[in-house]
Amino acid sequence: MKMAGIPFQETVLFLRKPGFDQNLSAFSSAGRVPVLVDGDINIWESLAICEYLAERFPEQCLWPKDRGMRAYARSISHEMHANFQALRQHLPCHFVARYQNFSIPPEAQNDINRVLSIWSGCRQTHAKEGPFLFGRFSIADAMYAPVVFRFLAYGVQVEDLHRAYMDMIEKLPAAKEWVYAAKQETERIEAYEKK
Ligand SMILES: N[C@@H](CCC(=O)N[C@@H](CS)C(=O)NCC(=O)O)C(=O)O
């Protein structure tokens, strides 16, 4: 929403802290964040939120305009949303940490290789149209942005083409705000503090 200049207010609920489920239950019974509240409409699941925004703000072209590109962008976004369990399990998202000499389990490396091959394919195809996966910013970049920060946190080895994409994402003002907010955060989840 920041990338598209769509104004919103953020309400922070602290994960695994007292009151989380109770506060969330007014908006979603799924027990997970994020949830988007637009008037009397509540939407949960990150990709459903993205789809809702694409429909609500068509002028922002949050999916590529070309049907074939859009189908591809949806496919890799759903792939991110539904898969990569080993990556999620072994490299949990941490925006601030920089773990040294982290040993990547083979199953997580398989997921990483798949992500890198998706990025290579997109960047090779759309290099002339702009720096994002499909040239201009799309929902696919939003879906993979947290992965960029996972790769940075765990020191994942990448090639120059991937590094250029990761640098570009990291330097976006919206991403910098994200990292800044993470650095200001005082709440901690112990399980994610040590690696
Ligand atoms: N598939 C969901 C996943 C949402 C999810 O797992 N959210 C985590 C935070 S990133 C959560 O709310 N966890 C609740 C908990 O840890 O108690 C989505 O994409 O929105």
Side-chain angles (χ1 to χ4, degrees):
M1 292 175 84
K2 280 188 183 163
M3 287 298 293
I6 301 167
F8 64 97
Q9 277 185 331
E10 191 175 42
T11 302
V12 177
L13 300 180
F14 292 113
L15 290 178
R16 302 182 194 173
K17 301 286 168 181
F20 178 82
D21 290 327
Q22 199 185 357
N23 287 324
L24 193 57
S25 63
F27 307 104
S28 164
S29 49
R32 289 178 184 267
V33 289
V35 177
L36 178 68
V37 180
D38 184 19
D40 59 358
I41 301 176
N42 299 331
I43 312 105
W44 61 95
E45 286 293 327
S46 49
L47 198 47
I49 292 171
C50 291
E51 288 286 9
Y52 178 83
L53 292 168
E55 193 183 297
R56 176 92 160 68
F57 300 95
E59 69 286 358
Q60 297 295 340
C61 300
L62 291 173
W63 288 119
K65 279 186 188 164
D66 176 84
R67 189 196 294 160
M69 274 169 65
R70 198 162 59 247
Y72 198 91
R74 277 205 166 98
S75 298
I76 64 165
S77 298
H78 279 258
E79 194 174 341
M80 179 69 249
H81 191 242
N83 298 319
F84 303 121
Q85 301 310 332
L87 178 66
R88 293 176 203 281
Q89 183 188 340
H90 296 291
L91 286 70
C93 215
H94 200 309
F95 279 80
V96 181
R98 291 294 180 268
Y99 302 110
Q100 302 297 320
N101 305 319
F102 177 74
S103 171
I104 299 174
E107 65 271 32
Q109 189 61 52
N110 288 341
D111 284 353
I112 289 167
N113 294 345
R114 173 61 188 154
V115 169
L116 294 177
S117 103
I118 288 171
W119 289 356
S120 304
C122 286
R123 290 305 304 136
Q124 278 158 4
T125 309
H126 300 290
K128 290 196 182 125
E129 297 146 51
F132 294 97
L133 292 175
F134 293 86
R136 57 170 289 177
F137 172 77
S138 78
I139 286 167
D141 300 288
M143 293 305 291
Y144 281 90
V147 181
V148 167
F149 286 96
R150 285 175 200 249
F151 285 8
L152 291 172
Y154 295 88
V156 170
Q157 298 292 309
V158 299
E159 291 170 13
D160 289 351
L161 172 144
H162 312 119
R163 177 68 56 200
Y165 177 68
M166 290 166 64
D167 285 351
M168 186 278 301
I169 293 288
E170 199 187 1
K171 287 190 180 118
L172 292 171
K176 285 186 176 167
E177 281 181 44
W178 215 0
V179 173
Y180 179 79
K183 284 185 175 158
Q184 300 305 305
E185 184 55 71
T186 54
E187 284 289 337
R188 293 282 179 273
I189 299 175
E190 279 312 311
Y192 294 132
E193 290 305 310
K194 31 189 179 329
K195 271 279 161 201

